[in-house]
Amino acid sequence: MSTSAENKAIGYRLQQIRDRKGLSQQAFARSLHVSLRTYQNYERGDRAVSKDLMCALMEQHDVAPLWLLTGK
């Protein structure tokens, strides 16, 4: 179970990925096959990332799950 602080840290890393790619929240959400509101909740840290989101991040954006979860 993720804590609020962990979710916020993951949300910050999601924002870093999105910013590096030059994508809006809407475009990034679409690439991950989630609604804008759902993505915004991930980025704010209001929602823990799901297995499906992790898979989409790996497949669509080559994000290492360990880095997303821990920053390492």
Side-chain angles (χ1 to χ4, degrees):
M1 198 180 266
S2 300
T3 67
S4 179
E6 289 169 334
N7 289 345
K8 287 187 187 304
I10 291 167
Y12 176 72
R13 287 189 283 278
L14 285 171
Q15 182 182 358
Q16 288 180 307
I17 297 162
R18 183 177 61 77
D19 288 345
R20 271 190 244 130
K21 294 191 172 272
L23 296 172
S24 66
Q25 286 184 333
Q26 178 69 52
F28 200 56
R30 201 174 307 123
S31 76
L32 299 171
H33 308 290
V34 297
S35 72
L36 174 59
R37 175 153 306 204
T38 295
Y39 177 74
Q40 289 170 329
N41 286 333
Y42 286 132
E43 196 170 291
R44 274 194 310 270
D46 292 341
R47 182 176 182 157
V49 296
S50 67
K51 178 184 75 112
D52 290 338
L53 184 76
M54 293 293 290
C55 290
L57 284 162
M58 286 185 337
E59 293 169 4
Q60 302 300 322
H61 299 285
D62 199 30
V63 173
L66 183 61
W67 176 80
L68 182 66
L69 294 173
T70 66
K72 297 177 184 178

